[in-house]
């Protein structure tokens, strides 16, 4: 209610590492289990199809089990996860998707396409005609199943400019929601709801390590810090640390991470190690003496 319409096409976009796929999974799982969760989902199980074009193994073995344990749910509910997103011109691939839906006797109320770039493989998202072809395809899908189609998308290098690609993308869809990473969490904000007022504060979702993955839990937004009084060191921002970890197979020992940062920035390794231990807002990246990139969970 108030987030996902029952019909139409919507976009959930954010920068890499802003947890948009975790948000989409939470919505999809709540609807499929008839579980109110954090969103007030109706107490009725709905058929939900999640096309996981990225990290389907992580979805099956890490994210889904963590969500079930966190919420106390069991089984799959009525959520079907398909490990593929065919290109919009892959007629055979989409015929296979529709055949699978039919065999499962599903009547999807929500279809999640993760991500748009997979659907638009071979097309140019900067060209309005290609973007319009993609949104028209998803509108046809929405009409065929009488459901809402939500696709996951990315920002460009400049996050402040919004979703990556042609402005036709924003114009063509009914709903636009963004994620914006802040500290150990993300802000979720409605940017557009066709025919409705979208003004309002953003929801803040805090990252919590859970089971073998993470979950996002509504929380108080972190206090805004006066830049003049901030003692934050630029290289110790979570995104900078994540970038270094991703270049080193996703995980590093505390000693090796300190050495890498010290080498990159010409710093004293011991001082770097002290900063890494003392900064509370980055400890969620740490597992005892090992630092792990959240990219292992495909954010």
């Amino acid at each position: 209610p108030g987030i996902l319409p029952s019909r139409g096409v919507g976009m959930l976009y954010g920068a890499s590492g802003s947890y948009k796929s975790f948000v989409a999974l939470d919505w999809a799982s709540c609807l499929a289990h008839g579980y109110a969760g954090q969103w007030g989902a109706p107490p009725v199980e709905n058929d939900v199809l999640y096309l996981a074009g990225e990290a389907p193994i992580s979805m099956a073995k890490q994210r889904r089990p963590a969500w079930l344990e966190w919420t106390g749910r069991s089984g799959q509910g009525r959520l079907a996860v398909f490990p593929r997103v065919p290109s919009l011109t892959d007629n055979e691939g989409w015929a296979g998707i529709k055949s699978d839906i039919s065999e499962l006797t599903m009547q999807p109320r929500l279809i999640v396409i993760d991500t748009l770039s997979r659907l638009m493989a071979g097309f140019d998202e900067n060209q309005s005609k290609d973007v319009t072809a993609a949104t028209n395809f998803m509108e046809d899908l929405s009409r065929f199943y009488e459901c809402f189609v939500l696709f996951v998308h990315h920002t460009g290098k400049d996050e402040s400019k919004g979703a990556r690609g042609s402005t036709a993308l924003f114009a063509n869809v009914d709903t636009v929601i963004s994620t914006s990473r802040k500290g150990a969490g993300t802000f979720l904000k409605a940017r557009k709801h066709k025919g409705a007022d979208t003004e309002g504060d953003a929801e803040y979702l805090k990252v919590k390590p859970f089971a073998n993955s993470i979950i996002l839990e509504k929380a108080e937004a972190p206090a805004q810090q006066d830049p003049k009084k901030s003692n934050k060191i630029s290289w110790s921002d979570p995104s900078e640390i994540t970038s270094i970890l991703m270049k080193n197979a996703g995980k590093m020992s505390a000693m090796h991470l300190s050495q890498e940062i010290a080498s990159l920035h010409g710093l004293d390794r011991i001082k770097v190690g002290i900063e890494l231990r003392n900064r509370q807002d980055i400890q969620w990246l740490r597992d005892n003496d090992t630092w792990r990139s959240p990219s292992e969970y495909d954010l």
Side-chain angles (χ1 to χ4, degrees), residues 136-293:
N136 285 346
F137 176 87
M138 289 184 281
E139 286 172 1
D140 289 342
L141 200 60
S142 171
R143 284 191 290 267
F144 184 83
Y145 288 110
E146 298 183 340
C147 71
F148 187 69
V149 177
L150 177 73
F151 64 90
V152 180
H153 191 38
H154 298 274
T155 60
K157 291 182 179 180
D158 185 349
E159 186 177 353
S160 67
K161 293 183 178 179
R164 191 175 68 195
S166 169
T167 56
L169 198 57
F170 188 98
N172 289 355
V173 300
D174 303 296
T175 295
V176 178
I177 302 171
S178 69
T179 55
S180 180
R181 187 164 171 170
K182 174 70 175 179
T186 194
F187 281 103
L188 187 74
K189 184 173 178 60
R191 302 287 177 177
K192 175 184 178 182
H193 275 309
K194 191 173 182 179
D197 184 4
T198 57
E199 291 299 322
D201 295 334
E203 295 271 12
Y204 185 70
L205 303 172
K206 184 177 181 180
V207 174
K208 294 181 66 175
F210 196 90
N212 196 30
S213 184
I214 62 172
I215 56 93
L216 296 176
E217 187 173 61
K218 285 187 180 181
E220 289 288 329
Q224 295 295 319
Q225 193 172 30
D226 184 346
K228 295 179 180 179
K229 298 180 180 179
S230 174
N231 62 355
K232 181 177 177 180
I233 298 175
S234 61
W235 56 258
S236 63
D237 181 271
S239 62
E240 295 296 326
I241 294 175
T242 296
S243 176
I244 294 171
L245 292 170
M246 290 175 66
K247 293 176 182 177
N248 288 271
K251 60 183 179 180
M252 301 174 74
S253 69
M255 182 182 71
H256 287 152
L257 178 59
S258 298
Q259 288 176 335
E260 181 74 8
I261 292 171
S263 176
L264 286 171
H265 296 276
L267 302 170
D268 181 272
R269 185 185 66 79
I270 295 177
K271 290 183 178 180
V272 170
I274 292 172
E275 175 70 10
L276 288 173
R277 287 196 302 272
N278 291 343
R279 279 280 302 285
Q280 292 303 307
D281 64 326
I282 58 176
Q283 295 308 305
W284 62 279
L285 290 167
R286 185 178 181 181
D287 182 10
N288 294 322
D289 195 44
T290 301
W291 289 77
R292 298 181 182 277
S293 168

Side-chain angles (χ1 to χ4, degrees), residues 21-22 25 54-55 58-59 62-67 213 297-298:
S21 291
F22 281 88
L25 175 62
E54 298 182 4
S58 174
M59 170 81 76
Q62 294 178 308
R63 285 186 269 173
R64 276 286 289 157
W67 186 91
S213 184
Y297 313 127
D298 182 33

